[in-house]
Amino acid sequence: AAKKNSPLIVGIGSGANYLASDIPALLKYTRDCAVMQDGEIAIVGKSSVEFFDSEGKPIDKKLMHITWDADSAEKGGYKHFMKKEIAEQPRAVRDTLSGRIVDGRVHLPELSLGDEQIKNIGVVHIVACGSAWHVGMTAKYLIERSAGILCECDLASEFRYRHPVVRENDLCVVISQSGETADTLAALREAKNRGAHTVSIVNVVESTMARESDDVIYTVAGPEIAVATTKAFSAQLAAVYLLALRLSSAVGRIDEKEEKHHCDALLRLPEQIEQVLENEELFKPVAERFSKASSIFFIGRGLDYSISLEGSLKLKEISYIHSEAYAAGESKHGPIALISEQTPVIAIATQSNIIGKTLSNISEVKSRGAKVVLMCSEDTVIKENVADYIIRIPQCDELLMPILAAVPLQLIAYYTAILRGNDVDQPRNLAKSVTVE
Ligand code: BG6
């Protein structure tokens, strides 16, 4: 076996040895494995495995013993992995935060930059694909707003070919559940070659991005099997909140009291996600309506825009219904031409500083016949007839609302896909990790 670019795992069993592209595929045969690195070669026999480097010199590979409990890679009584993973989000967020908030302060030793180096950061380049890119969009907003550091958020497939302007004192953050996505990995290498300090936020230990970046902030969501990410997405959001707070306190934009306030809000999130999950019956009527639609729009502003992108992608990925998310303020610059009688629109309005504008965008689309589902916090006062259906989520620190807003959108996509009879865990044409261009 030879490993180049795509992941390759060697499973060491008793009386048999295995090759696989991903650890969960091995778990029913063995828990002991070696993660191959680019250029390495393995000669795998029935009772022996030898490893060599790219020059053919024998090497000793460190074996990993996988400790995930058996049902982690099984459905655990749920109909679909996606439903199980949606339900695991409180624990994924709790475990990702665990040990990283100490006495009301962010404790993130994985980021090897000290306060002075953080103060000297020029630009934070955030690069990812798919849902991870939506986390990056959220991170850009958080870091600029709370740390005052300029952020770029790029799709990896664009970043890697656009000759990006990356300098020595820049920070490049790549976000990836698998840690193997080809475009994101190439972007990481591009940023590194240009001298940036690189940090990967990944969910798979020893993944290629984890090994090749200067620093690694692991999300602790456990193995994610469903192609459409949910718990890893929420765990990534928790990780970028921690990063944004770490940067903010390093540059002195927040004092210890403010940091504690935000940390306390973070620690309350798992139980608030539980509250949203308990209301899942409320989201089914939306799925009923959506399942008959041919095109669905998501709108929001600021943090609500990045989450509307995620809601739209979730729906597309598993229900196969055309969907589009756009910044609510953009309605009048074209998209509103697509709104006709009964067009479903989900409007996300969780940010009090901008909700008035989003409400006026809602009346724009409603007056043209759209059927509007409004998502807002439980504390928001909404006049009669503003929307056709309202989804309310618990009120929390407004910067953290995306984590709570994502859950109803995941469940709406999930139930819509089921109503359409689709394979929720393995949607057509998609792969869990795209390790080729
Ligand atoms: C897609 C997945 O193939 O890749 C998405 O279906 C994911 O869920 C995207 O967001 C990026 O993958 P990763 O592993 O880099 O987060």
Side-chain angles (χ1 to χ4, degrees), residues 129-133 175-181 184 209 224 226-229 236 313-314 317 430-434:
C129 298
S131 296
W133 177 66
I175 305 172
S176 171
Q177 189 284 129
S178 62
E180 302 296 347
T181 297
T184 312
M209 285 180 221
E224 186 175 68
V227 165
T229 180
Q236 287 165 359
L313 178 62
K314 278 282 140 327
E317 279 180 310
L430 298 181
K432 180 59 184 168
S433 170
V434 181

Side-chain angles (χ1 to χ4, degrees), residues 114-397:
D115 288 4
E116 287 314 306
Q117 291 166 296
I118 291 172
K119 283 177 185 153
N120 291 327
I121 290 174
V123 177
V124 178
H125 302 272
I126 306 168
V127 192
C129 298
S131 296
W133 177 66
H134 301 149
V135 174
M137 291 281 283
T138 306
K140 166 184 166 63
Y141 188 93
L142 294 170
I143 294 170
E144 290 195 337
R145 179 161 159 180
S146 55
I149 302 173
L150 178 61
C151 274
E152 293 281 340
C153 180
D154 266 283
L155 288 167
S157 52
E158 290 296 306
F159 181 87
R160 64 181 292 195
Y161 293 116
R162 67 172 177 81
H163 305 291
V165 177
V166 178
R167 298 191 173 92
E168 300 276 307
N169 65 334
D170 286 354
L171 178 67
C172 176
V173 180
V174 293
I175 305 172
S176 171
Q177 189 284 129
S178 62
E180 302 296 347
T181 297
D183 284 323
T184 312
L185 179 57
L188 168 64
R189 290 169 175 166
E190 180 73 22
K192 206 167 175 184
N193 292 340
R194 293 170 182 264
H197 185 85
T198 57
V199 179
S200 60
I201 298 178
V202 294
N203 195 45
V204 177
V205 175
E206 285 286 306
S207 54
T208 307
M209 285 180 221
R211 285 199 312 270
E212 295 194 11
S213 50
D214 298 312
D215 299 337
V216 190
I217 299 174
Y218 282 118
T219 50
V220 189
E224 186 175 68
I225 311 298
V227 165
T229 180
T230 50
K231 64 175 183 174
F233 174 82
S234 298
Q236 287 165 359
L237 281 175
V240 298
Y241 282 124
L242 290 168
L243 180 62
L245 282 173
R246 172 74 189 93
L247 298 178
S248 309
S249 66
V251 299
R253 289 267 295 217
I254 57 171
D255 61 24
E256 288 196 17
K257 187 165 166 291
E258 286 165 303
E259 186 172 353
K260 182 175 184 329
H261 165 79
H262 291 302
C263 286
D264 291 347
L266 273 172
L267 291 171
R268 278 196 298 276
L269 278 176
E271 109 211 16
Q272 290 179 309
I273 298 171
E274 290 287 7
Q275 287 169 24
V276 178
L277 291 169
E278 281 156 17
N279 292 331
E280 73 169 282
E281 289 305 313
L282 296 177
F283 313 135
K284 288 185 178 175
V286 180
E288 306 274 329
R289 173 185 294 282
F290 277 10
S291 62
K292 305 176 188 76
S294 56
S295 192
I296 294 166
F297 293 90
F298 290 73
I299 63 173
R301 289 171 179 254
L303 286 170
D304 291 332
Y305 173 47
S306 56
I307 280 301
S308 62
L309 288 165
E310 176 59 11
S312 174
L313 178 62
K314 278 282 140 327
L315 193 74
K316 271 184 276 213
E317 279 180 310
I318 60 177
S319 75
Y320 314 152
I321 297 172
H322 171 261
S323 171
E324 182 180 338
Y326 57 83
E330 275 297 289
S331 299
K332 51 191 161 308
H333 302 295
I336 201 161
L338 297 172
I339 303 295
S340 61
E341 200 51 38
Q342 302 295 319
T343 305
V345 174
I346 281 208
I348 299 163
T350 67
Q351 304 296 304
S352 54
N353 67 317
I354 205 106
I355 189 168
K357 299 291 180 191
T358 306
L359 292 176
S360 66
N361 296 129
I362 291 173
S363 59
E364 274 169 18
V365 293
K366 249 186 95 54
S367 61
R368 287 158 176 86
K371 285 291 169 211
V372 175
V373 175
L374 168 61
M375 185 189 302
C376 59
S377 83
E378 59 201 5
D379 298 355
T380 306
V381 177
I382 296 290
K383 292 198 194 77
E384 281 294 302
N385 304 325
V386 162
D388 299 279
Y389 193 82
I390 297 182
I391 291 173
R392 290 188 178 275
I393 54 178
Q395 180 67 52
C396 69
D397 181 327

